[in-house]
Amino acid sequence: MVAELTKNERQGALVILLALAVTGLAMAAGGRGDPFGIHGAMVLVAAIVGIFAVIGGYYAPEPSPERLDSYYDSPTKFGIVAAMVWAVAGMAVGDWVAWLLAYPEWTFDAAWASFGRLRPVHTSGVIFGFGGNALIATSFYVMQRTSRARLPDQLTPWFVLFGYNLFCVIAATGYLMGVTQSKEYAEPEWYADIWLVIVWVTYFVLYLRTLNRRKEPHIYVSNWYYLAFILVVAMLHIVNNLAVPISWGSAKSYSLFSGVQDAMTEWWYGHNAVAFFLTSGFLGMMYYYMPKRAGRPIYSYRMSIISFWGITFFYMWAGSHHLHYTALPQWVQSLGMTFSVMLLVPSWVSAGNALMTLNGAWHKVRDDAVLRFMMVAAVFYGLSTFEGSFMAIRPVNSLSHYTDWTVGHVHAGALGWVAMITFGAIYASVPWLWKRNGMYSAKLVEAHFWLSLAGTIIYVFAMWNSGIIQGLMWRTYNESGTLAYSFVDSLVAMHPYYIARAIGGAFFLLGAIIGLYNIWMTIRTASQDQAAQNVADRPVTEPAIGAPALQPGE
Amino acid sequence: MFGFHYRLERKTIGLVLGIIGVASIGGLVEIAPLFTIHQTVEDAPDMRVYTPLELAGRNIYIREGCYACHSQMIRTLRDEVERYGPYSLAVESKYDHPMLWGSKRTGPDLARLGEKYSDDWHVAHMINPRAVVPESVMPSYAFLQRTELRTDDLSDHLKAQRKVGVPYTDDMIANAAADAYGQAAPDSPAADGVTKRYGKATTVRAFDGKPTDLTEMDALVAYLQILGRLTDAAHKPVATAEKKP
């Protein structure tokens, strides 16, 4: 990897790593006796490992100018493998905590091993580790192709990816040590948040720099979605994480907001993390990989425009539906409900646009598990956005809120939509990236597909049942006008569904493990088997600046 | 409209500004007024701040992720009020940085847990939940009883709380560590300082049953016992409504 950097970039990498090492050392010294110090030591070690890696390759010959004739895909390759590793780790922890809800003794007598600390390891591991790496990796791939331009340099994409993964590791290890802000899906503490801002701004600037080099006059729809994902996540992250640390040597901070304002800010963030991390970014992925794989153009350009701006506008109002019947003023609740219902229109326009794109390619959906992953993802996207709008209606929410129904809804979206579109995109990219004819085993892709689908359905049905039963038991009255069930009664009723859910999760996890194995074997084996070079898959370079002339095929 | 977009999507900066503009409106309309409209948070003159021990307990509650399974927000629904008590008011979490309203009830709501059970019950429940509730799926928190509470940075905690708007006095900040000891050691000289600074109604007890040492169990139980009791505001509207007819 260092060999791909120019001399200047190697020096730049050393400067960045030295700065990081100094920061880590300061954190370790200032935070003795606090998890903050442990994180400082981890940053220091990471930086030193990086410094050794760069020094080790420092005197390697510089990359040849011919590299500029092809897209820069090494960061994408790393990101895809990292995403799959995070997927297996995050889902494994998720399934473990799912079993803990059925059998609470299946753990260790240690603080780190309790449900409360492991749960954010699962959520952050799958959302940020798996989802985030997949988004960054595919965005690098897609923005280069749709712009017909190479990434502007070799160092920035690596900074974004390594920096982002450092954030994920600090987040996950922090939870195990009890470092959390308690804001759901924004648990990492202030120093990790600041680091993410640095990484994220670099990512945004990299995106703009690449777009500005584009040789296509129009910016392709995938890039609108990736841009919205980057920009709005930055807005949400900064506002929701405003906090005052108790000292420069402590991991602990206090949120700037309190009570009702904090609740609204948190769910404005939380719901739009769903919107712009888990929807917008993955729609960008879908808009590139699905038409590519199906060999069909996007069904409707106008539907793309309507759904893009509809999603970007409506979603931002919807967060207050997480706070129905609470101490949040009713006018905010009503706005949230109204916009959540309206949100169904752009959501279904997107899902419809995706499925109509498959018209004329349904025989491929039947035969090709990769395209089937994408098709099922679009179906689950449509289903879970309908369910979301439905659950945002106040009287429905009075039953569903606080129950497992919400958990089921989230997983219909996360497993059925986000993970499936990602697996589809990854299976499509891997042979393209590593220049193979196909995946190591098509049968294993097929097995992964059916395990994922079965796992999702078992999971979602289990949670629908338990959630609705729970909600009904909590509000059931007997003839004498008193509550019919104690809380513990409802807990006992959940037991079989918690087992079913954990089994569904195990199916999904097994599929991801098979996927990682299949990808690894594709990379490892058949390296001699060069697929026919796709002459069109390269950036447009200016002949004037001395680059070789274009291939005749172009 | 589509012609306009056809031109817009050729400009990076146009798309960027468009996204920022369109995405900002919802948050501005829904969040900003919550800071300016006075009726958003009720007045509660009797509201007190958390003692250092309760705040430390609250931080343990946060650290252990209790909010993932327990809400602290009773909704305005008949069955919730009958099961848990008067519905939660905004003012009750006005000193909560961050709020812990929660989003899931794998276990019951805790907004009005304070003084519902004895300290002994809580300690036994934390050490082994299934010893007191056989059907419980809650993890064991036995290690809290074995872990000494960190008090050397409590003044820093109170200072940071004051920066974000909680009215801690200089006196409270200076005596934070002593007050944490005092609240869990009723017979010690430090106990008087707690009631002097935080009010006579403040609970001063050996929460974990042992007044000699200050553990994380003391702090967590102290916090659980104050839940819903920082102010009586939630009980008042119901009382006046009942008097009317």
Side-chain angles (χ1 to χ4, degrees):
Chain A
M1 179 219 125
V2 178
E4 294 170 3
L5 304 182
T6 63
K7 265 273 145 49
N8 282 341
E9 288 173 335
R10 288 172 205 174
Q11 287 161 4
L14 279 180
V15 171
I16 293 169
L17 288 166
L18 276 173
L20 199 61
V22 171
T23 313
L25 189 64
M27 284 170 70
R32 273 164 304 165
D34 193 274
F36 186 70
I38 298 171
H39 273 153
M42 285 170 54
V43 170
L44 180 63
V45 169
I48 290 173
V49 169
I51 288 170
F52 273 101
V54 175
I55 290 175
Y58 190 80
Y59 292 106
E62 286 210 64
S64 72
E66 278 143 40
R67 72 179 189 279
L68 301 175
D69 299 338
S70 58
Y71 296 119
Y72 190 44
D73 285 332
S74 302
T76 304
K77 292 178 179 176
F78 172 83
I80 283 179
V81 175
M84 288 306 294
V85 171
W86 276 108
V88 170
M91 289 172 194
V93 175
D95 202 47
W96 181 16
V97 297
W99 287 108
L100 283 183
L101 288 182
Y103 302 100
E105 308 291 356
W106 290 7
T107 190
F108 310 99
D109 179 24
W112 67 269
S114 68
F115 179 92
R117 290 201 191 182
L118 291 174
R119 186 236 185 204
V121 177
H122 162 61
T123 54
S124 289
V126 292
I127 297 173
F128 299 118
F130 169 50
N133 271 300
L135 285 172
I136 295 173
T138 56
S139 76
F140 288 166
Y141 186 92
V142 171
M143 72 172 162
Q144 292 187 87
R145 266 79 184 171
T146 55
S147 305
R148 304 258 279 163
R150 192 178 197 268
L151 285 166
D153 67 276
Q154 285 84 220
L155 179 59
T156 319
W158 287 112
F159 175 79
V160 172
L161 270 170
F162 284 139
Y164 183 75
N165 279 285
L166 180 63
F167 163 79
C168 292
V169 169
I170 287 180
T173 52
Y175 307 148
L176 296 177
M177 294 188 286
V179 178
T180 171
Q181 292 192 107
S182 83
K183 293 191 157 197
E184 282 184 78
Y185 317 111
E187 291 94 345
E189 269 290 357
W190 61 275
Y191 51 101
D193 291 336
I194 292 173
W195 174 243
L196 184 63
V197 171
I198 296 170
V199 171
W200 212 251
V201 170
T202 313
Y203 180 28
F204 175 60
V205 173
L206 176 67
Y207 215 99
L208 292 191
R209 285 163 68 204
T210 312
L211 283 182
N212 284 341
R213 293 158 58 90
R214 73 184 184 280
K215 300 296 182 298
E216 294 284 339
H218 289 268
I219 298 171
Y220 182 63
V221 50
S222 284
N223 294 312
W224 313 348
Y225 279 107
Y226 280 123
L227 266 181
F229 148 64
I230 298 169
L231 276 169
V232 183
V233 166
M235 274 167 54
L236 298 164
H237 174 77
I238 292 171
V239 175
N240 189 44
N241 286 305
L242 291 173
V244 176
I246 66 160
S247 77
W248 293 109
S250 170
K252 177 74 186 169
S253 71
Y254 287 106
S255 162
L256 197 56
F257 310 124
S258 70
V260 61
Q261 293 92 356
D262 189 50
M264 186 56 222
T265 310
E266 155 61 18
W267 288 110
W268 168 79
Y269 166 90
H271 195 70
N272 290 298
V274 173
F276 290 89
F277 210 100
L278 298 178
T279 304
S280 185
F282 291 91
L283 281 171
M285 201 186 269
M286 186 196 75
Y287 267 104
Y288 181 81
Y289 288 96
M290 187 187 256
K292 266 288 201 190
R293 189 75 186 187
R296 306 278 311 160
I298 285 290
Y299 172 72
S300 165
Y301 166 68
R302 293 184 174 196
M303 281 165 81
S304 309
I305 294 174
I306 291 170
S307 56
F308 174 74
W309 291 104
I311 284 172
T312 307
F313 181 63
F314 288 157
Y315 247 117
M316 298 300 277
W317 296 76
S320 53
H321 70 224
H322 289 252
L323 300 167
H324 281 325
Y325 302 97
T326 67
L328 181 75
Q330 184 150 1
W331 66 268
V332 194
Q333 299 179 22
S334 302
L335 273 178
M337 174 176 86
T338 312
F339 277 86
S340 303
V341 173
M342 292 195 289
L343 187 56
L344 185 60
V345 175
S347 300
W348 272 26
V349 171
S350 272
N353 205 5
L355 291 174
M356 303 282 259
T357 298
L358 294 173
N359 271 349
W362 287 99
H363 61 287
K364 290 187 187 166
V365 176
R366 182 193 61 205
D367 298 335
D368 176 10
V370 178
L371 192 56
R372 216 179 310 128
F373 261 119
M374 301 185 201
M375 183 278 287
V376 171
V379 171
F380 268 102
Y381 177 62
L383 287 175
S384 49
T385 48
F386 172 77
E387 189 187 23
S389 295
F390 181 61
M391 289 167 78
I393 299 169
R394 292 181 93 234
V396 181
N397 195 269
S398 75
L399 179 86
S400 75
H401 194 55
Y402 293 136
T403 72
D404 287 323
W405 189 355
T406 310
V407 182
H409 166 62
V410 169
H411 283 82
L415 304 179
W417 154 238
V418 172
M420 294 250 200
I421 190 70
T422 306
F423 291 141
I426 288 179
Y427 281 131
S429 315
V430 166
W432 297 341
L433 281 167
W434 276 274
K435 312 273 186 267
R436 304 283 186 269
N437 290 320
M439 289 298 294
Y440 166 72
S441 163
K443 280 214 176 79
L444 287 181
V445 180
E446 202 58 61
H448 183 188
F449 171 79
W450 289 109
L451 281 169
S452 298
L453 185 60
T456 307
I457 289 173
I458 295 170
Y459 192 113
V460 173
F461 270 87
M463 290 294 95
W464 278 339
N465 276 292
S466 70
I468 292 170
I469 291 171
Q470 225 171 9
L472 290 175
M473 284 178 87
W474 291 346
R475 59 163 61 175
T476 300
Y477 283 84
N478 55 27
E479 294 91 5
S480 52
T482 55
L483 291 165
Y485 300 102
S486 72
F487 190 90
V488 166
D489 292 335
S490 73
L491 187 65
V492 171
M494 296 306 100
H495 187 70
Y497 301 105
Y498 284 174
I499 295 172
R501 179 255 301 270
I503 291 171
F507 273 50
F508 205 88
L509 169 65
L510 184 61
I513 293 170
I514 290 173
L516 178 60
Y517 170 77
N518 201 2
I519 289 164
W520 189 244
M521 292 308 282
T522 310
I523 298 169
R524 284 288 304 279
T525 53
S527 52
Q528 319 306 329
D529 180 26
Q530 285 287 336
Q533 284 280 346
N534 185 350
V535 287
D537 188 35
R538 54 179 57 194
V540 179
T541 45
E542 312 281 0
I545 53 167
L550 291 178
Q551 298 297 314
E554 290 183 88
Chain B
M1 172 191 159
F2 295 109
F4 168 71
H5 201 275
Y6 192 77
R7 290 191 300 279
L8 176 72
E9 70 188 42
R10 299 168 66 121
K11 301 262 185 295
T12 316
I13 194 69
L15 272 179
V16 167
L17 292 178
I19 291 167
I20 293 175
V22 164
S24 300
I25 301 168
L28 285 175
V29 173
E30 290 188 347
I31 299 177
L34 298 179
F35 290 93
T36 56
I37 298 176
H38 179 68
Q39 296 97 306
T40 303
V41 180
E42 307 82 358
D43 291 322
D46 65 333
M47 176 97 177
R48 81 156 166 85
V49 296
Y50 292 107
T51 64
L53 188 65
E54 291 155 6
L55 186 68
R58 189 169 194 275
N59 288 335
I60 293 166
Y61 185 99
I62 289 172
R63 185 186 77 194
E64 301 307 331
C66 306
Y67 58 86
C69 294
H70 294 283
S71 57
Q72 290 186 22
M73 174 47 62
I74 301 165
R75 296 181 293 172
T76 53
L77 298 167
R78 178 185 163 193
D79 59 288
E80 297 215 351
V81 171
E82 288 183 10
R83 189 180 296 279
Y84 299 116
Y87 56 81
S88 299
L89 301 181
V91 68
E92 292 180 277
S93 49
K94 105 172 151 171
Y95 295 143
D96 285 9
H97 294 265
M99 57 84 210
L100 294 171
W101 292 9
S103 61
K104 178 71 174 62
R105 284 181 187 152
T106 305
D109 187 277
L110 302 182
R112 309 237 170 268
L113 182 68
E115 300 299 337
K116 204 167 172 181
Y117 301 91
S118 68
D119 294 343
D120 290 346
W121 186 91
H122 279 298
V123 172
H125 183 242
M126 286 295 156
I127 291 172
N128 179 13
R130 280 155 291 286
V132 282
V133 184
E135 304 87 349
S136 171
V137 297
M138 192 170 112
S140 153
Y141 289 97
F143 65 89
L144 295 177
Q145 183 81 314
R146 307 191 290 261
T147 314
E148 206 186 323
L149 183 71
R150 184 176 172 185
T151 54
D152 62 320
D153 60 353
L154 275 175
S155 292
D156 289 340
H157 281 270
L158 265 55
K159 257 186 248 169
Q161 285 266 311
R162 185 157 75 177
K163 276 187 202 144
V164 295
V166 184
Y168 283 107
T169 63
D170 291 337
D171 193 28
M172 290 170 170
I173 291 172
N175 293 289
D179 285 348
Y181 280 106
Q183 197 180 353
D187 298 328
S188 75
D192 296 336
V194 180
T195 43
K196 192 182 94 203
R197 275 180 283 276
Y198 295 91
K200 282 210 174 60
T202 310
T203 318
V204 177
R205 285 198 301 250
F207 293 98
D208 70 350
K210 288 177 290 180
T212 45
D213 54 357
L214 186 65
T215 61
E216 294 195 336
M217 186 70 86
D218 279 310
L220 185 63
V221 174
Y223 172 63
L224 296 178
Q225 296 291 29
I226 197 64
L227 282 173
R229 296 177 58 248
L230 288 177
T231 168
D232 277 338
H235 297 269
K236 278 173 190 155
V238 180
T240 41
E242 277 168 0
K243 267 178 216 158
K244 262 180 198 163

